Amino acid sequence: MNTASPPAVAAEGLAFSYASGGGLTRADLTLEAGAMAAVEGPSGSGKSTLLALLGLILSPSAGSLHITGTDTGALAPAERDLLRQRSIGIVLQDLGLLPFLSAWENVAAAFGPRLGRHRTAARDLLGDLGMAQLADSRVTELSGGQRQRIAVARAAVKQPVLILADEPTSGLDPKTANSVMNSLRSCAERGSAVLIVTHDSTVAGACDQRYVLDEGVLSTAHKETARKENLA
Amino acid sequence: MSRWSLYTWKRDGRSLRRALPTLTVLAALLTTSAGVAAGAAEAVERDVLGSGGLTQIELSSFEGEESVRPLTTSALQDAENAPGVRQVVADYSSGLYAEEDGTYDLTSHTLTPGDDLPVTKGKVPAELGRSEVVLPAVAQGTDFAPLLGRTVAFGYTKATGAASGTTAVIKLKIVALYDPTWQADGPGVAYLSEDTAALLAAARAGQEPEVFRDKEGAQSATVVVDHQKQVAAATKTLQDDGFSASPVSDRVRNLPGLFGAADLAMRVGVLILALVAIGLGVVRAADSTRARIGQFAILRILGSGRPELRRILLGEAVLSGGVAGVVGVAVGTGVSLALVSPLSDVLGLPIKLTDALPGPGWVAAALLLPALGLAVGTLLGSREVLRRDPYLTARAHS
């Protein structure tokens, strides 16, 4: 009897095309729990579309997508939204945080609008990330790096199956970028599959798996992962 | 409504909260108008009905209107014979002017059971005698208080030809004075017995009173029935007899003129409130959604579907409209109550505070329309902006 857990993400032949043209031609991707993968590609290659598909914001026009074994193509829109809320954390470089909430409230927002119920979890995580003193700050008072780390905390606080990070270190100084990457790495170590979309080869090099997206087609860049290199 | 609405409405200046001041002012204006109109109508109704209006029917004679029966002696006799009718008092209009002291020129009318004069001095007898008169306390600069209880010579016109006449004199005892701000029949009216009023009207027409009453007839008449229950049947009988008859209670409750205009104005006000709320919803929702597309994108990635984003906007609309309605009704009612005293002075009638409370229908309109209108407008206004997923819109603009 096979008792192996299904992969966190299994995408096969995933495709999407916009009415105006462009999109994603084909993406095959499997991420196990705890994996950390990077997707590299030039602008307009379909990275944002891939992220929106994996984040269950867009529905694919072809192919299949399973999240921990659940066939997302069989879900109603409301069920997809619920699955995204429960199982997926998304970090966006330029769409950061909700400006009308404080830092801890932004983190607690990952659970939905009943913020008070998740105050402790949010504050504890900010403490773990060394940002306890920022918990009550208005997000407009925070630096770009601090905001990005809070966005990571928001994505990680519910320990989702999958964390999608879009250019999480873009515009950050090396020290802050390293801190953000360490936060994402710790999420992977706690069992989340992490997929990072990046232009930065240093960031991609710090991941276990690397993919390249070119003209809408996703392909594997390196089969040997950094983790294996480290183990060797 | 989404719970997110509570945060966005309270904390985000770009939310639909911006519609709050306009809707509050409109709701307050509607409530104030309703309260003032209700106060005035209640006071007038009480004044009229208080003088036995519930058991009275008014007969009118429209000059030149052949389908309406003239109020001649025989016609009034017929009216008096109608079932349930206890009394018929005809009103004849003419004029009295100063013969000795003063320069006044007063309109004269019959004192009918419908005239509930606010007497300030003296006493109006149960039935006014032929040589008695009730005057306003002050008219055209003449203070009648010193003349109260005295018999005074008044002048009146006696026609002698088509365009000629002489002054005749009648001596009348001033038995009571009333508050001159009470002007149900106009300013400066002298109230007389039916016979005396008919005498003056006949003289002005150059006729003998009996002839005048038989041929020309009265301007109007008040019919009194024994019991309120008989009003409908008596009115029907009189109408069947060719009279223009209407119950006083109906006339009061459908107050014409000012109150009719106020009612129309309030209906227009309701329409304006609804249209402004919808218009604000359309414009503000579209602008607000565009301005906050990045926020909505974040809410999308946090698990909100597009229906929930609409519910957030609807929640903001309901909160804004609801608060505007509640505050507007509270402020409007307060203003309406504050206006009771000046309104009472203007009308010359006592108005209770409870009279000036706006009716439940108007209150419901002022409470609900801002929220309903804004919600409808929000649905229309946000539809186009939310047609495309906010996440994709925000990404395209980033």
Side-chain angles (χ1 to χ4, degrees):
Chain A
M1 190 172 127
N2 185 6
T3 57
S5 301
V9 182
E12 191 176 336
L14 213 54
F16 183 87
S17 57
Y18 294 103
S20 55
L24 188 71
T25 307
R26 183 178 181 89
D28 298 291
L29 174 81
T30 302
L31 289 179
E32 299 293 341
M36 195 158 167
V39 174
E40 299 170 88
S43 298
S45 60
K47 297 194 298 293
S48 292
T49 305
L50 175 64
L51 220 61
L53 288 167
L54 296 177
L56 305 182
I57 291 168
L58 288 179
S59 297
S61 47
S64 67
L65 173 64
H66 290 75
I67 305 286
T68 57
T70 302
D71 181 3
T72 61
L75 300 178
E79 292 171 322
R80 291 163 58 83
D81 292 332
L82 190 62
L83 182 61
R84 179 169 66 256
Q85 190 196 26
R86 286 181 177 168
S87 305
I88 302 173
I90 303 177
V91 182
L92 298 172
Q93 179 234 330
D94 44 9
L95 294 177
L97 305 172
L98 294 167
F100 53 86
L101 300 180
S102 67
W104 79 261
E105 287 173 330
N106 263 284
V107 176
F111 295 100
R114 295 175 189 271
L115 305 180
R117 289 184 179 183
H118 305 284
R119 177 194 297 261
T120 306
R123 285 182 172 276
D124 286 351
L125 182 60
L126 287 174
D128 291 347
L129 295 172
M131 293 188 291
Q133 76 284 2
L134 301 176
D136 293 313
S137 301
R138 295 172 65 88
V139 295
T140 50
E141 297 166 353
L142 302 175
S143 69
Q146 288 168 331
R147 283 202 291 268
Q148 195 68 336
R149 287 164 68 198
I150 287 168
V152 172
R154 185 181 63 199
V157 68
K158 58 194 175 188
Q159 297 190 10
V161 170
L162 172 65
I163 292 178
L164 301 168
D166 187 9
E167 301 283 3
T169 60
S170 174
L172 302 181
D173 63 73
K175 187 180 171 190
T176 310
N178 194 43
S179 171
V180 169
M181 285 304 292
N182 284 341
S183 299
L184 289 169
R185 169 61 70 187
S186 67
C187 292
E189 287 171 353
R190 280 184 293 195
S192 298
V194 178
L195 181 72
I196 301 172
V197 170
T198 183
H199 280 103
D200 189 336
S201 58
T202 309
V203 170
C207 295
D208 309 327
Q209 298 167 241
R210 293 174 71 167
Y211 293 89
V212 172
L213 191 54
D214 192 19
E215 294 185 348
V217 178
L218 185 72
S219 55
T220 308
H222 297 277
K223 289 189 183 293
E224 294 298 316
T225 64
R227 186 188 290 272
K228 285 178 182 173
E229 287 172 4
N230 289 340
L231 288 172
Chain B
M1 179 170 160
S2 165
R3 287 183 71 90
W4 281 118
S5 305
L6 296 172
Y7 291 101
T8 54
W9 185 81
K10 193 174 170 186
R11 299 190 189 180
D12 194 339
R14 294 174 299 178
S15 72
L16 295 178
R17 199 180 65 200
R18 292 172 65 187
L20 189 58
T22 308
L23 292 179
T24 303
V25 169
L26 287 175
L29 282 175
L30 178 65
T31 312
T32 301
S33 308
V36 167
E42 280 285 326
V44 173
E45 183 174 330
R46 189 171 47 245
D47 184 61
V48 175
L49 298 185
S51 62
L54 284 173
T55 56
Q56 293 170 8
I57 300 164
E58 187 174 276
L59 301 182
S60 293
S61 141
F62 299 102
E63 252 179 87
E65 176 58 70
E66 288 180 6
S67 62
V68 173
R69 191 170 176 185
L71 303 176
T72 59
T73 303
S74 60
L76 293 171
Q77 189 59 53
D78 288 348
E80 200 154 7
N81 291 335
V85 173
R86 192 180 70 206
Q87 183 187 17
V88 177
V89 180
D91 180 23
Y92 299 93
S93 178
S94 185
L96 280 177
Y97 47 84
E99 175 63 18
E100 294 172 345
D101 300 324
T103 56
Y104 54 85
D105 186 354
L106 308 174
T107 304
S108 64
H109 277 284
T110 306
L111 182 66
T112 69
D115 296 314
D116 187 26
L117 300 181
V119 174
T120 56
K121 283 183 180 172
K123 190 166 185 253
V124 179
E127 192 170 332
L128 208 54
R130 286 186 174 210
S131 57
E132 292 176 331
V133 65
V134 180
L135 297 178
V138 177
Q140 297 158 20
T142 300
D143 181 4
F144 290 104
L147 303 177
L148 179 66
R150 288 173 53 187
T151 298
V152 176
F154 294 91
Y156 66 96
T157 301
K158 194 169 187 177
T160 53
S164 60
T166 60
T167 294
V169 175
I170 183 169
K171 289 192 174 180
L172 299 168
K173 182 182 179 185
I174 303 171
V175 293
L177 301 176
Y178 66 90
D179 183 347
T181 59
W182 190 86
Q183 299 181 353
D185 293 311
V189 173
Y191 287 96
L192 303 161
S193 68
E194 182 182 312
D195 288 343
T196 309
L199 171 76
L200 300 188
R204 190 161 68 175
Q207 297 177 17
E208 288 301 314
E210 290 73 20
V211 175
F212 179 80
R213 293 171 86 161
D214 282 345
K215 290 188 176 174
E216 304 293 332
Q219 201 172 44
S220 65
T222 302
V223 175
V224 182
V225 297
D226 290 321
H227 195 275
Q228 187 186 338
K229 289 178 183 172
Q230 296 168 313
V231 168
T235 303
K236 175 84 169 53
T237 303
L238 292 167
Q239 286 170 345
D240 290 346
D241 283 350
F243 290 103
S244 166
S246 59
V248 170
S249 55
D250 283 2
R251 182 171 57 83
V252 170
R253 286 180 182 131
N254 299 307
L255 287 168
L258 179 65
F259 300 118
D263 189 64
L264 180 66
M266 284 190 295
R267 286 170 199 274
V268 172
V270 165
L271 189 65
I272 289 173
L273 178 60
L275 290 177
V276 168
I278 291 171
L280 273 176
V282 169
V283 175
R284 290 267 188 250
D287 288 349
S288 178
T289 310
R290 279 191 201 99
R292 296 187 289 166
I293 204 72
Q295 277 181 36
F296 282 12
I298 294 170
L299 290 169
R300 278 290 281 143
I301 68 173
L302 291 176
S304 297
R306 270 186 279 182
E308 180 166 23
L309 298 182
R310 285 197 186 88
R311 285 201 300 275
I312 291 173
L313 289 166
L314 277 178
E316 291 177 2
V318 169
L319 283 168
S320 301
V323 171
V326 170
V327 174
V329 166
V331 170
T333 303
V335 172
S336 171
L337 294 177
L339 288 174
V340 161
S341 179
L343 182 65
S344 181
D345 291 343
V346 168
L347 291 177
L349 294 171
I351 301 177
K352 298 177 192 167
L353 282 179
T354 49
D355 293 342
L357 292 174
W362 300 114
V363 168
L367 275 175
L368 299 177
L369 277 182
L372 282 175
L374 200 58
V376 169
T378 296
L379 278 178
L380 296 173
S382 63
R383 193 172 55 176
E384 184 61 34
V385 186
L386 287 180
R387 185 162 288 172
R388 192 177 186 218
D389 195 304
Y391 173 83
L392 299 176
T393 307
R395 295 294 298 153
H397 288 98
S398 65

